[in-house]
Every structure is written in C-alpha cells, then in structure tokens.
C-alpha cells in the first residue's frame, strides 16, 4: 500500500472581524473565514495546518488563535498548529513568514517539506513573494477567491481596504513593489 504523504498547509492570516461599533472581536475576518472554510474541506487526518503568527488589532486574541478556534468549531481533519509571539508591532506578510520560519527552525522542522501556501487570491502574490524571500518552497499554492461584494462586511479598521477589491489589489501591488526593492 502506498504511504500517504502529509501536507503542511501554511495559512496566511487575513485579519479579525469587527462588530457593529467597529470594535475588533476575536473572530476571523470574512476573508480569513473563506480561506479557512476551504482548508477545512480539503485537509486530511495526517495533514498539518500551520496558522502563521499575526496581529491582535487591539483585541485580546491574535489572528492565528481566532483562526484555530474557528477551524475547531467548523471541524477539520488536519492538525491545527499555531503559536503566539511577543510582539507589539504590526506584523505584515513578510513578518508572518519570518516569524514562522524562526519557529520552525527552533522546532528543527526547517525547511518544511511538502508545503502548500494557502491565502486569499488578492493577497496571494505578495504572500508567495514574502514567503519565498524568507526561504520557503511550496509544492503548490491554494488561492482562495470570493467574488462577492465585501463593502458591507465588518473588519478591523486597519484593513478597511479589504472591503473594496480594487483598492485592495492596488495596495497589494504597491507592497509587492516595496518587497521587491527591499529584500530583507
């Protein structure tokens, strides 16, 4: 019988939700939920789901913890792995990659084999670049696309542009350019 190789899914976080008063709540944003919903459906028993370390946005819960809680709630076969970091500064996509790599090195799991990067489609090009610049190699990419309007959805104030796909695309292009001229 052929051995099934475990997949290491690396998930790029995409913010926390907000309530009607625009206060951050400990729940993944609408975009992050789309990504996690797809992942919950495709992960298998021997897979690992690595939720990259990220931000709190003024809440008492990080994006990765909210993502793990959500995945447990909706159910997934894969093992959910996340860790907290002691960082008061904003963690961007490059920071997600850098902190995850450091953690994997401490665990002596670097480089991670059979890895697949999972991110929202608009965020994927920058995510791929940032993780590649940090030395990650991916067997595949899972780019989650949702073509509905987000303008009425609630998300943390810092990520307001997620509600407007064109603005979000322009923001991502600008940051890709910045990542390309500033390698580290």
């Amino acid at each position: 019988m052929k051995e099934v190789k475990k997949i290491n899914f690396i998930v790029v976080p995409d913010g926390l939700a907000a309530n009607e008063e625009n206060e951050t709540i400990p729940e993944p944003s609408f975009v992050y939920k789309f990504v996690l919903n797809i992942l919950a459906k495709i992960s298998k028993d021997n897979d690992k789901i690595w939720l990259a370390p990220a931000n709190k946005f003024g809440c008492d819960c990080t994006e990765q913890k909210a993502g793990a809680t959500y995945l447990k709630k909706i159910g997934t076969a894969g093992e959910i792995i996340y860790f907290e970091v002691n960082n008061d500064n904003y963690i961007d996509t490059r920071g997600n990659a850098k902190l995850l790599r450091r953690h994997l090195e401490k665990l002596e799991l670097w480089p991670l084999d059979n890895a697949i990067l999972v991110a929202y489609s608009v965020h994927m090009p920058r995510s791929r670049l940032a993780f590649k610049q940090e030395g990650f190699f991916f067997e595949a990419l899972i780019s989650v696309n949702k073509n509905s309007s987000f303008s009425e959805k609630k998300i943390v104030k810092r990520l307001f542009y997620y509600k407007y796909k064109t603005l979000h695309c322009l923001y991502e292009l600008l940051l890709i350019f910045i990542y390309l001229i500033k390698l580290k």
Side-chain angles (χ1 to χ4, degrees), residues 13 32 51-55 62-69 82-85:
Y32 197 10
L51 301 174
N55 301 289
T62 59
E63 292 171 85
Q64 65 270 25
K65 183 175 181 182
T69 301
Y82 75 96
F83 59 96
E84 300 294 342
V85 294

Side-chain angles (χ1 to χ4, degrees), residues 126-184:
R126 179 164 58 110
S127 300
R128 179 181 182 197
L129 176 61
F131 278 81
K132 181 180 177 188
Q133 287 177 332
E134 291 302 320
F136 284 84
F137 174 79
F138 297 105
E139 300 290 329
L141 306 173
I142 298 176
S143 184
V144 179
N145 192 13
K146 185 71 173 170
N147 286 326
S148 63
S149 172
F150 294 152
S151 63
E152 299 302 314
K153 303 287 186 180
K154 298 290 184 186
I155 193 165
V156 294
K157 289 177 192 173
R158 183 177 181 120
L159 303 179
F160 75 93
Y161 53 88
Y162 272 62
K163 294 169 40 165
Y164 311 100
K165 197 167 190 175
T166 302
L167 181 59
H168 190 179
C169 289
L170 291 171
Y171 175 83
E172 293 293 334
L173 285 173
L174 173 65
L175 285 176
I176 287 170
F177 175 72
I178 291 169
Y179 280 20
L180 286 171
I181 60 173
K182 182 182 175 190
L183 292 178
K184 294 266 177 180

Side-chain angles (χ1 to χ4, degrees), residues 57-74:
F57 297 103
C59 186
D60 62 350
C61 180
T62 59
E63 292 171 85
Q64 65 270 25
K65 183 175 181 182
T69 301
Y70 182 75
L71 277 173
K72 289 173 188 170
K73 178 180 157 190
I74 64 173

